[in-house]
Amino acid sequence: MQTRRHWLGSMGALALASHAQAAPLRAVGTQFARLFEGSEGKPPRGLAVDLLTQLFGTNVQCEWLPWQRAQLMLEQGEADILVGPYRTPEREARMLFSVRSFYSDAMVWYARRGEESRWTGEFSSLAQVPVAGVRGWAYGSRFERMKPSLTQLTWVKNVEAGLQMLHRQRVDLFAANDRNCQPVLQQLGLGDAIARCSPPLDVLHGHMAFGRSAAGEVLAQRYDQAFERWLRLPEAAELYRRWGVERPATPS
């Protein structure tokens, strides 16, 4: 027999799902720890998957893809929702963003343990330092302004590659965030070898994104309305606790 909590959760999902389009929605994303975890060809799991299911019920299908491909699919109209992009001016020209973010990340440099002082908080000190970042990621406006001065900046395909380069002394700093780095550090057994530097580069906010089309505008409005209502429900706080992600402030 269903518990009352499960029954209420199901009713909440059904109520919000009534705002979804009749045709199945296709949501795409890539490896975002705790938000959208998986691999190509396998169903993803994470907070974003559960969130979209609570909003749209079985009317949404989530698919894990390489990040560049996922973005391109949204732009070409082959997907309805892109999960988790940070909002940047460049991306806003290519896609529509939800009004409210559903998670936030502090973007930071990582260094070999004992060498955290390589980051002083000033980009000018990194002009000749070999550093790395993940290709396709956004790191904030300050990083973008200073990027041309980073003469030894290398782009890598994913977090694992960046951490391996750092560990093997091919770079001195690697830019990422704790949510994505900590699981990989544990998998690689590098938790004692690599440390986070302070202060953060920036704090960025992750959204759901939609196509720049009439259908995308309608879907974005439906998502925004449903998400605002859902954040007030007990299911929202429970879901964020379950995945260990900080919940956005509840709407007043």
Side-chain angles (χ1 to χ4, degrees):
M1 183 175 179
Q2 291 182 326
T3 64
R4 184 171 183 271
R5 175 180 289 181
H6 180 77
W7 181 84
L8 286 171
S10 299
M11 290 301 292
L14 289 173
L16 296 178
S18 66
H19 292 270
Q21 297 175 344
L25 299 172
R26 188 178 189 184
V28 295
T30 198
Q31 186 68 22
F32 288 171
R34 300 182 221 161
L35 300 175
F36 207 81
E37 300 178 349
S39 58
E40 198 160 7
K42 295 183 179 180
R45 60 191 294 272
L47 177 125
V49 177
D50 292 346
L51 187 162
L52 289 172
T53 299
Q54 289 200 16
L55 297 190
F56 298 112
T58 58
N59 198 43
V60 64
Q61 300 173 354
C62 296
E63 184 177 353
W64 192 103
L65 294 170
W67 187 229
Q68 300 286 14
R69 182 178 167 195
Q71 294 179 72
L72 187 60
M73 287 186 67
L74 181 76
E75 293 172 41
Q76 294 180 341
E78 298 175 17
D80 303 293
I81 303 171
L82 178 66
V83 175
Y86 300 135
R87 191 171 196 159
T88 68
E90 185 272 335
R91 287 176 177 168
E92 284 189 291
R94 299 185 287 118
M95 58 189 76
L96 300 173
F97 282 78
S98 57
V99 171
R100 184 186 291 272
S101 63
F102 72 96
Y103 74 98
S104 299
D105 282 319
M107 308 307 293
V108 297
W109 288 113
Y110 287 85
R112 290 178 290 278
R113 191 168 295 279
E115 299 180 11
E116 298 93 324
S117 61
R118 288 185 181 276
W119 171 238
T120 64
E122 296 297 330
F123 276 92
S124 58
S125 67
L126 303 182
Q128 302 299 321
V129 176
V131 300
V134 180
R135 184 179 294 108
W137 278 29
Y139 286 97
S141 58
R142 187 177 177 219
F143 183 94
E144 289 300 313
R145 288 195 303 270
M146 300 304 298
K147 189 166 59 175
S149 69
L150 302 177
T151 61
Q152 296 194 57
L153 171 62
T154 298
W155 295 111
V156 298
K157 65 179 181 179
N158 54 35
V159 168
E160 180 177 352
L163 292 173
Q164 292 279 24
M165 287 185 70
L166 180 60
H167 180 58
R168 294 169 183 169
Q169 300 187 16
R170 293 175 59 189
V171 296
D172 290 334
L173 294 170
F174 170 59
N177 60 63
D178 275 346
R179 181 179 50 77
N180 281 289
C181 273
Q182 290 305 319
V184 181
L185 284 171
Q186 293 176 13
Q187 292 167 12
L188 297 175
L190 296 177
D192 294 330
I194 292 175
R196 168 180 172 164
C197 302
S198 294
L201 307 178
D202 210 334
V203 176
L204 302 183
H205 307 284
H207 294 252
M208 297 294 180
F210 310 87
R212 277 205 165 275
S213 65
E217 289 183 8
V218 171
L219 180 57
Q221 291 175 359
R222 289 175 173 169
Y223 169 85
D224 287 335
Q225 293 168 3
F227 185 63
E228 290 295 316
R229 289 194 296 271
W230 178 78
L231 273 181
R232 295 184 174 93
L233 300 177
E235 289 91 331
E238 183 176 338
L239 188 61
Y240 276 92
R241 280 197 303 270
R242 186 190 315 157
W243 286 105
V245 178
E246 184 175 351
R247 181 176 61 145
T250 305
S252 57

